[in-house]
Amino acid sequence: MENFLIVAVIVIVLFLFMRGLFSFKNATQLTLRPFNEWIVLAKGESKKEREVMSHTVLLETGSLLEKANIISQSEFKKIFSGSRIYASDILILTLVTTHIQDHFSESSEFPLNESKQARIYFYNCFCRLYFEGFYSESNIYKGKESLIAMARYATDKEQQPWD
């Protein structure tokens, strides 16, 4: 009987581990889809799955930002990691901010093309925020400070719905 319980616990732990691994791999593959397709899929998922998808996009975006020598992956992770920040809220705030910027600037070095991969789309969004700035509380922040200000703004908020 004791051996059966040990085997059962091991099987359950393996199942949960593999489920998490496949969920992450699926989320990574979704970042290769066009942004317009990715956003539709994200809206249709549960809060938990949307959070996994959003976290994965942030990781992929951080990797691209590091390759472009804008900010290191570890610094990017530090800014947006924490139990008091939802990755999905960071992405919503990023989208809202960059779309507002579209209305005020005639052109940008980082065009937003919804048919590009989701990770490229968010890379361009974060580049805009980094170089063009983030406006919050009567201040405009640029560079790394813009990302920190955005994370601070999203901290301790209730998770927002994606309606």
Side-chain angles (χ1 to χ4, degrees):
M1 182 68 171
E2 190 174 298
N3 289 339
F4 175 74
L5 288 175
I6 292 172
V7 170
V9 169
I10 290 172
V11 168
I12 290 171
V13 169
L14 263 172
F15 170 76
L16 293 174
F17 175 76
M18 294 304 287
R19 184 174 161 211
L21 182 66
F22 286 126
S23 178
F24 179 75
K25 283 179 90 174
N26 183 41
T28 301
Q29 290 173 347
L30 290 176
T31 65
L32 300 174
R33 291 186 179 223
F35 169 76
N36 52 9
E37 191 177 318
W38 184 91
I39 199 80
V40 168
L41 292 171
K43 285 181 180 181
E45 293 292 336
S46 68
K47 282 185 177 183
K48 183 179 178 183
E49 286 297 317
R50 187 177 313 119
E51 200 60 27
V52 169
M53 288 175 67
S54 299
H55 181 73
T56 305
V57 164
L58 284 175
L59 290 175
E60 295 279 330
T61 301
S63 177
L64 292 172
L65 291 168
E66 183 174 57
K67 287 178 186 173
N69 293 321
I70 295 171
I71 186 171
S72 74
Q73 173 89 0
S74 61
E75 284 182 293
F76 190 75
K77 274 190 211 177
K78 277 185 207 173
I79 293 171
F80 296 114
S81 66
S83 60
R84 299 175 1 211
I85 302 174
Y86 290 101
S88 56
D89 288 351
I90 291 295
L91 295 185
I92 289 172
L93 185 56
T94 301
L95 293 173
V96 167
T97 304
T98 53
H99 287 294
I100 289 171
Q101 285 177 337
D102 264 349
H103 295 293
F104 293 114
S105 66
E106 293 176 18
S107 66
S108 177
E109 193 176 329
F110 304 99
L112 300 179
N113 182 344
E114 292 185 357
S115 64
K116 293 271 186 187
Q117 293 177 348
R119 63 190 180 140
I120 302 295
Y121 188 89
F122 281 108
Y123 165 79
N124 284 333
C125 288
F126 279 103
C127 284
R128 278 187 172 193
L129 292 171
Y130 189 88
F131 292 109
E132 296 174 14
F134 175 74
Y135 182 79
S136 176
E137 301 173 4
S138 304
N139 295 317
I140 187 151
Y141 301 93
K142 290 193 175 191
K144 183 179 171 184
E145 295 303 314
S146 67
L147 303 178
I148 292 170
M150 192 169 68
R152 196 175 320 122
Y153 182 84
T155 301
D156 290 331
K157 302 268 192 279
E158 199 172 303
Q159 189 173 19
Q160 300 298 310
W162 282 33
D163 296 86

